[in-house]
């Protein structure tokens, strides 16, 4: 059977492409009409609009950004009565991708959602919730979650391991499941993120995520203008893939680094040099985004945000410009009880040896000479900000024991970056 991928353009959902997945073979193509009318609106920046029929053994990489994960995945597997595994990905998309982050969705998943809502007539027009309802998990919250199930609140449409809900604030300041509130009533779009597990370490990671984001903002990293806020054990994260404008909702193109690199599945570990290359190919200002990406990685190392996998970095297109999205999922992941090692690393492209000094990374970076020099200058300047990190962290409310633990990691980053300030590079005294 053919499924239809839709894209949100000019205030409405349009049929964009058709896809079939049968006997281990996947075929998809853009509709001729889309190719003629919207040649500049691809489903993925790695898949330019054309009339070709693409055939492969896996789903196209960008579709893995839509595969339900975590709690939404488990819920939907139960509903569909299918076992988990890679072959579940396509059925999960076809049922669960009715309202994902970004601006593409699957038409048949919308039908699936409508059928779900029809089975629960009370699910429409439920009263909105306050943030307190959610924090104390009130009876209203539980009923709403049951009726919207994992569906209306969009748990199937947002990835990651932590339980989360897509919520929309109406103009009376009440919260609704994102998929059930009409665009015309929407004032603000949010992700409500709960701790990954039940341990105190899980709580601590989430509690410090808001403070970590403020630290990044204070250091000039690109963050969303509205920063996350913590309410009890619920982190409310304003979404940057939507904009409410003139009583309408604009949905921005967004896709992960895994998608732009054309990497299907969830287990791929691209070399960070490959990641930089991939980002540079699609963004409007390669120099600015390379610098931004490296600064984020300096912070990942200094603040031990080890969970830097290829779906925790994404690009977006806003007002015609392609760039890295504002920072997300930035937290003291070294505390996670699952012991998450740093996922992606800088392996020298020729020798495959890991590089752990910025001077060596810069030397191996595939950029024009003048860019390399300017990167060194900018990162040398960044050293001053890294040096002040402990104070900034304190001011932004990071837990004291985290700051203390991180001092040597911050120090290493600061010294490496300072060494870039001298023209001879990292061997300066
Ligand atoms: N503020 C945001 N706006 C839009 N999309 C977001 C935002 N924050 C996260 N996302 C998307 O939601 C996904 C899950 O969020 P994330 O914080 O990574 O959760 P987890 O900690 O469970 O991995 C991300 O991979 C990204 O695609
Ligand atoms: Mg994540």
């Amino acid at each position: 059977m053919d499924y239809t991928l839709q894209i949100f353009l000019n205030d409405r959902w349009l049929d964009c492409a058709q896809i079939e997945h049968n006997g281990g073979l996947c075929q998809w193509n853009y509709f001729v009409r889309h190719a003629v009318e919207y040649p500049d609106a691809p489903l993925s920046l790695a898949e330019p609009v054309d009339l070709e029929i693409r055939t492969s053994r896996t789903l196209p990489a960008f579709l893995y950004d839509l595969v339900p994960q975590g709690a939404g995945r488990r819920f939907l597997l139960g509903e569909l009565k299918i076992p988990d595994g890679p072959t579940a990905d396509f059925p999960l998309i076809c049922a669960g991708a009715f309202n994902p982050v970004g601006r593409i969705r699957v038409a048949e998943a919308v039908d699936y959602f409508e059928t779900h809502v029809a089975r629960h007539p009370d699910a429409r027009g439920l009263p909105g919730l306050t943030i307190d309802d959610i924090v104390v998990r009130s009876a209203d919250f539980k009923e709403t979650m049951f009726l919207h199930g994992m569906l209306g609140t969009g748990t199937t449409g947002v990835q990651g391991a932590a339980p989360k809900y897509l919520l929309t604030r109406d103009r009376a300041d009440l919260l609704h499941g994102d998929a059930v509130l009409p665009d015309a009533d929407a004032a603000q779009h949010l992700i409500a993120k709960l701790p990954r597990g039940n341990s105190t370490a899980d709580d601590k990671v989430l509690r410090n995520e808001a403070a970590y984001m403020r630290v990044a903002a204070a250091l000039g990293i690109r963050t969303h203008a509205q920063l996350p806020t913590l309410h009890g054990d619920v982190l409310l994260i304003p979404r940057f893939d939507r904009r409410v404008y003139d009583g309408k909702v604009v949905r921005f193109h967004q896709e992960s680094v895994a998608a732009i690199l054309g990497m299907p599945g969830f287990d791929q570990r691209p070399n960070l040099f490959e990641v930089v290359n991939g980002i540079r190919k699609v963004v409007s200002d390669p120099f600015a985004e390379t610098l931004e990406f490296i600064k984020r990685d300096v912070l990942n190392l200094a603040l031990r945000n080890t969970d830097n996998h290829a779906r925790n970095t994404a690009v977006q297109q806003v007002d015609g410009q392609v760039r890295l999205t504002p920072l997300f999922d930035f937290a003291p992941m070294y505390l996670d009880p699952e012991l998450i090692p740093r996922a992606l690393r800088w392996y020298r492209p020729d020798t495959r040896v890991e590089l752990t000094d910025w001077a060596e990374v810069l030397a191996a970076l595939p950029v024009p000479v003048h860019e390399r020099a300017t990167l060194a200058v900018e990162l040398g300047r960044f050293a001053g900000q890294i040096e002040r990190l402990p104070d900034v962290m304190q001011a932004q409310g990071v837990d004291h024991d985290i700051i203390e633990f991180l001092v040597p990691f911050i120090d290493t980053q600061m010294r490496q970056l300072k060494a870039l300030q001298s023209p001879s590079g990292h061997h300066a005294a």
Side-chain angles (χ1 to χ4, degrees):
M1 162 174 176
D2 280 339
Y3 291 86
T4 301
L5 305 179
Q6 296 183 317
I7 187 166
F8 193 83
L9 292 174
N10 306 329
D11 305 326
R12 55 178 130 61
W13 289 100
L14 303 170
D15 290 350
C16 180
Q18 60 184 348
I19 182 162
E20 186 176 25
H21 192 30
N22 258 333
L25 215 61
C26 179
Q27 278 202 334
W28 73 277
N29 60 275
Y30 288 105
F31 288 120
V32 175
R33 177 160 183 182
H34 182 84
V36 171
E37 289 182 20
Y38 302 100
D40 297 326
L43 290 164
S44 160
L45 298 167
E47 302 283 1
V49 179
D50 58 29
L51 293 176
E52 255 164 59
I53 297 176
R54 280 112 154 141
T55 307
S56 63
R57 287 190 179 284
T58 63
L59 304 175
F62 68 88
L63 272 191
Y64 287 88
D65 283 352
L66 310 189
V67 174
Q69 288 184 309
R73 183 177 184 103
R74 287 191 294 278
F75 174 80
L76 212 50
L77 286 169
E79 293 286 295
L80 298 173
K81 300 186 180 61
I82 54 173
D84 204 357
T87 54
D89 289 337
F90 192 60
L92 284 169
I93 292 172
C94 294
F98 52 86
N99 184 36
V101 168
R103 66 166 181 188
I104 62 182
R105 70 179 189 183
V106 178
E108 288 73 17
V110 180
D111 299 339
Y112 182 87
F113 174 64
E114 293 298 338
T115 308
H116 169 86
V117 172
R119 281 172 52 216
H120 299 288
D122 291 348
R124 289 249 187 249
L126 280 175
L129 300 166
T130 65
I131 181 63
D132 290 339
D133 286 328
I134 296 171
V135 172
V136 303
R137 322 273 198 273
S138 70
D140 277 354
F141 172 76
K142 286 183 183 141
E143 179 64 7
T144 303
M145 287 308 132
F146 175 76
L147 287 177
H148 295 169
M150 298 297 187
L151 293 176
T153 49
T155 309
T156 62
V158 61
Q159 292 197 324
K164 50 187 96 55
Y165 305 105
L166 299 180
L167 300 174
T168 304
R169 206 191 284 282
D170 66 18
R171 274 182 251 109
D173 241 13
L174 293 173
L175 299 165
H176 303 262
D178 181 53
V180 290
L181 193 74
D183 277 1
D185 298 333
Q188 190 193 22
H189 299 94
L190 301 152
I191 299 174
K193 186 162 160 182
L194 275 52
R196 274 163 78 119
N198 292 322
S199 74
T200 48
D202 289 310
D203 274 352
K204 194 175 173 76
V205 171
L206 192 76
R207 251 192 305 109
N208 281 279
E209 184 168 333
Y212 259 49
M213 197 59 91
R214 290 193 294 272
V215 170
L219 262 73
I221 297 299
R222 181 179 306 142
T223 48
H224 191 29
Q226 303 160 307
L227 293 174
T229 49
L230 190 68
H231 309 261
D233 65 350
V234 180
L235 187 67
L236 264 196
I237 308 170
R239 283 174 65 176
F240 44 64
D241 64 315
R242 304 260 184 101
R243 185 188 283 163
V244 177
Y245 177 76
D246 227 4
K248 291 174 183 160
V249 175
V250 183
R251 289 167 171 82
F252 298 127
H253 176 82
Q254 180 169 318
E255 66 182 298
S256 69
V257 153
I260 59 173
L261 289 176
M263 292 186 162
F266 295 97
D267 305 322
Q268 306 231 29
R269 301 234 167 140
N271 182 347
L272 284 173
F273 286 106
E274 265 179 87
V275 169
V276 167
N277 255 337
I279 291 170
R280 291 175 64 89
K281 270 192 206 141
V282 299
V283 295
S284 307
D285 183 344
F287 171 75
E289 301 311 298
T290 303
L291 180 62
E292 173 75 15
F293 183 79
I294 292 179
K295 283 183 173 180
R296 290 180 185 191
D297 202 44
V298 170
L299 285 189
N300 284 341
L301 290 160
L303 305 189
R304 303 282 290 148
N305 175 41
T306 49
D307 200 17
N308 67 337
H309 62 76
R311 285 174 211 281
N312 264 346
T313 299
V315 298
Q316 63 175 185
Q317 184 165 19
V318 176
D319 303 329
Q321 296 289 302
V322 178
R323 54 172 202 183
L324 292 172
T325 68
L327 188 65
F328 61 90
D329 210 2
F330 180 60
M333 287 305 285
Y334 76 92
L335 292 170
D336 192 280
E338 285 178 34
L339 299 176
I340 297 177
R342 178 166 153 91
L344 305 189
R345 297 160 188 255
W346 301 96
Y347 292 106
R348 218 178 111 141
D350 49 357
T351 60
R352 318 301 291 176
V353 173
E354 184 182 5
L355 302 179
T356 55
D357 187 307
W358 286 111
E360 290 178 343
V361 171
L362 279 195
L365 212 60
V367 299
V369 178
H370 63 280
E371 269 197 44
R372 197 187 319 280
T374 319
L375 283 172
V377 171
E378 291 292 334
L379 290 171
R381 243 183 233 149
F382 196 47
Q385 288 179 284
I386 298 298
E387 192 164 18
R388 286 190 294 278
L389 257 180
D391 292 338
V392 175
M393 291 170 82
Q394 171 120 29
Q396 299 303 341
V398 176
D399 287 358
H400 198 71
D401 56 318
I402 295 182
I403 302 176
E404 225 157 62
F405 174 81
L406 292 175
V407 164
F409 297 94
I410 293 170
D411 224 51
T412 302
Q413 293 304 303
M414 192 263 294
R415 272 187 283 113
Q416 287 189 9
L417 295 183
K418 277 211 168 145
L420 297 175
Q421 289 168 343
S422 70
S424 59
H426 65 296
H427 292 301

